[in-house]
Amino acid sequence: MTSHHGTQTMKPATAAKKLGVYLEATPAEFQEGVVSRDELNALQTDPPEWLRELRRNGPHPRPVVAAKLGVSISGLARGGVTEALTTEQIETLKQESPEWLRRERATQAEVRKETVRLKERRAEKDAGAEERS
């Protein structure tokens, strides 16, 4: 008995997420079709001009906006940012540095510090357990 593996495909929304781009800003043929694993790999390896342009200038999806601003996605929502932003809009926000952005960046910094502290604590516990065994 042989098994035939069909070509693995994904919805455009999934492919856009994997590519880190805002689906609504992609070309119509991308939005309306399906993307195979091979096509996704080709887009990642050798991005066409439209993909390079989107990654460079946006509009960017919220996870990318959050990363570029150094905040969480929920922090964006608390700051009232619910739409995709262009690179230019992100840079303007960074320059203006509104109160909500400063507050969310501080919160994010605390979260990172706590994550590091917990990781170190686990490592110390693991090292102690190894010494006892």
Side-chain angles (χ1 to χ4, degrees), residues 75-90:
L76 280 180
R78 286 190 292 272
V81 178
T82 57
E83 299 297 317
L85 298 180
T86 63
T87 301
E88 186 177 325
Q89 290 169 313
I90 292 168

Side-chain angles (χ1 to χ4, degrees), residues 7 11-12 15 50 57 59 64 72-73 88 93 107 111 132:
T7 302
K11 295 177 182 173
W50 66 263
N57 298 315
V64 174
S72 66
I73 294 173
E88 186 177 325
L93 263 177
T107 299
V111 167
R132 288 189 295 274

Side-chain angles (χ1 to χ4, degrees), residues 88-128:
E88 186 177 325
Q89 290 169 313
I90 292 168
E91 290 305 315
T92 299
L93 263 177
K94 285 179 177 178
Q95 289 170 4
E96 291 173 353
S97 190
E99 173 59 31
W100 72 264
L101 182 56
R102 291 192 304 272
R103 187 175 55 250
E104 291 299 333
R105 282 180 162 173
T107 299
Q108 207 51 16
E110 287 300 315
V111 167
R112 282 192 290 274
K113 269 199 310 196
E114 181 65 5
T115 301
V116 168
R117 186 187 71 77
L118 290 172
K119 187 176 180 181
E120 289 171 350
R121 190 170 163 200
R122 273 193 298 274
E124 288 170 7
K125 275 186 175 179
D126 291 347

Side-chain angles (χ1 to χ4, degrees), residues 40-55:
L40 179 69
N41 290 340
L43 287 169
Q44 289 171 324
T45 306
D46 186 21
E49 183 54 37
W50 66 263
L51 182 53
R52 288 196 300 272
E53 180 67 22
L54 269 181
R55 286 177 169 167

